[in-house]
Amino acid sequence: MQSVRFDTHGGPEVLQLVETPVPSPGPGEILIRSAAVGLNFIDIYQRTGLYPLPLPSGLGKEAAGVVEAVGDGVVRFEVGDRIATATAPVGAYGQFHVLPETAAVRVPDDISLETAAAVMLKGMTAEFLVRRAFHVKQGDEILLHAAAGGVGLILAQWARSLGATVIGTVGSEAKAELARAHGSNHVILYDREDVATRVKEITDGRGVAAAYDSVGAATFESSLASLKRRGTLILFGNASGPVPPFDPLRLSRGGSLYVTRPTLFDYVATVEELDASATALFDVIRNGAVKVEIGQTFPLANVREAHEALAGRKTTGSTLLIP
């Protein structure tokens, strides 16, 4: 089988396409033949060493495919089942992947494997962000950075379906058009306008109840400045680098603000949480509240090019690798 490996942390050039044996599932594990693999910023963080991995290593956590074999004691799945994963150990960048059965969910027959691969990590991230890390409700005004990205397009639609007003930030007119078509009520071009000033104008001086920030260092100040009294900043990514240390007294001076740095894996830590999150995601796709945007696909052999595009913010929606 073909798979992607790397021996040292660094840029896209460290990624190597290699031939490796097809693995066999152990007790409690399943082997899947991947139809599509999702590309995510966590892959870049792990490749660069921001989130270091023991080396040498594979890469990738999100994929969808068909169960090829099951290990002893597996009860959740059978050979031939359509499944998806976003919480398995790294190694999804390949034609086959072994994972614990507890890290997989069943894909409904009316949802394609490509859609599942494009949406599992990003969609379950959106789920916990709008339903649990901060409970978005009717009438809320929220700020969403990277509104034309993979998580952004899903989160904006989901939040708007809950009755929120979504203010999205993007880097180009083309991305602004995409964000408007996928749930953003207002769009700010962050390189042309001061984000916090525009947010206060849009909200008649109130500020937003929540700011969703996956960009990190470059947007942290504007996110804080955009919050209303007792507003919440949800930092869930570091696309521009990690946020530097800051004085917690700033939160009281800003209006008794809250800051949280959640990760999906703490919100789907049990099988019950994982199944509930995936079910909620598939439900909003089915009822039309969320439409999945697959912006681009790359052959697995072009993994370096795919990483360059994502890191350079040249992608829209979800990005897939096709083994």
Side-chain angles (χ1 to χ4, degrees):
M1 61 172 275
Q2 289 188 324
S3 62
V4 173
R5 305 283 292 176
F6 65 111
D7 298 322
T8 182
H9 293 112
E13 69 279 357
V14 304
L15 300 176
Q16 304 289 331
L17 189 67
V18 299
E19 292 286 339
T20 57
V22 176
S24 299
E29 294 180 332
I30 59 175
L31 172 69
I32 71 165
R33 179 189 291 271
S34 294
V37 177
L39 185 66
N40 297 282
F41 262 101
I42 191 173
D43 306 346
I44 292 175
Y45 302 154
Q46 291 173 332
R47 186 204 76 218
T48 61
L50 180 63
Y51 299 169
L53 295 172
L55 299 176
S57 178
L59 200 60
K61 299 182 71 68
E62 181 181 46
V66 176
V67 177
E68 287 278 311
V70 300
D72 291 341
V74 169
V75 296
R76 281 170 60 82
F77 304 104
E78 298 177 348
V79 171
D81 284 347
R82 303 165 76 248
I83 68 98
T85 183
T87 60
V90 295
Y93 284 20
Q95 293 173 307
F96 294 89
H97 188 32
V98 164
L99 59 146
E101 64 167 338
T102 53
V105 299
R106 195 178 304 276
V107 177
D109 290 340
D110 56 351
I111 292 178
S112 73
L113 291 175
E114 290 76 17
T115 295
V119 81
M120 281 301 296
L121 193 146
K122 290 169 278 290
M124 291 196 302
T125 296
E127 181 277 321
F128 90 79
L129 289 173
V130 300
R131 298 173 78 228
R132 293 184 283 162
F134 179 86
H135 183 203
V136 175
K137 60 187 183 301
Q138 179 76 33
D140 280 342
E141 295 166 307
I142 68 170
L143 173 65
L144 173 61
H145 289 293
V151 173
L153 293 178
I154 297 168
L155 195 155
Q157 295 176 81
W158 204 325
R160 189 161 174 176
S161 76
L162 295 172
T165 296
V166 181
I167 304 169
T169 75
V170 298
S172 69
E173 289 287 359
K175 289 189 175 185
E177 183 177 345
L178 186 64
R180 291 189 190 97
H182 290 79
S184 290
N185 301 85
H186 307 274
V187 178
I188 299 170
L189 273 71
Y190 60 78
D191 58 348
R192 302 183 194 177
E193 306 171 276
D194 182 81
V195 171
T197 298
R198 281 291 294 132
V199 166
K200 292 298 177 68
E201 291 172 354
I202 292 167
T203 62
D204 294 327
R206 291 182 298 274
V208 293
Y212 289 100
D213 192 336
S214 61
V215 179
T219 51
F220 177 71
E221 295 295 337
S222 65
S223 294
L224 272 186
S226 297
L227 293 173
K228 72 176 185 178
R229 182 166 52 91
R230 299 201 306 272
T232 301
L233 170 52
I234 305 101
L235 289 162
F236 66 101
N238 320 280
S240 67
V243 172
F246 67 95
D247 184 352
L249 279 175
R250 293 186 59 193
L251 304 180
S252 64
R253 297 182 187 126
S256 297
L257 306 177
Y258 297 87
V259 174
T260 182
R261 180 56 175 91
T263 178
L264 168 65
F265 308 106
D266 288 322
Y267 283 82
V268 291
T270 68
V271 169
E272 292 77 17
E273 289 173 337
L274 177 64
D275 284 343
S277 183
T279 297
L281 172 61
F282 292 141
D283 284 347
V284 294
I285 294 173
R286 272 205 201 89
N287 68 25
V290 169
K291 294 178 174 59
V292 180
E293 180 79 21
I294 300 174
Q296 47 281 310
T297 63
F298 295 85
L300 185 65
N302 292 4
V303 62
R304 294 180 182 178
E305 180 185 347
H307 270 236
E308 290 169 355
L310 184 62
R313 303 181 78 170
K314 298 176 182 177
T315 63
T316 58
S318 297
T319 302
L320 293 181
L321 296 172
I322 305 301

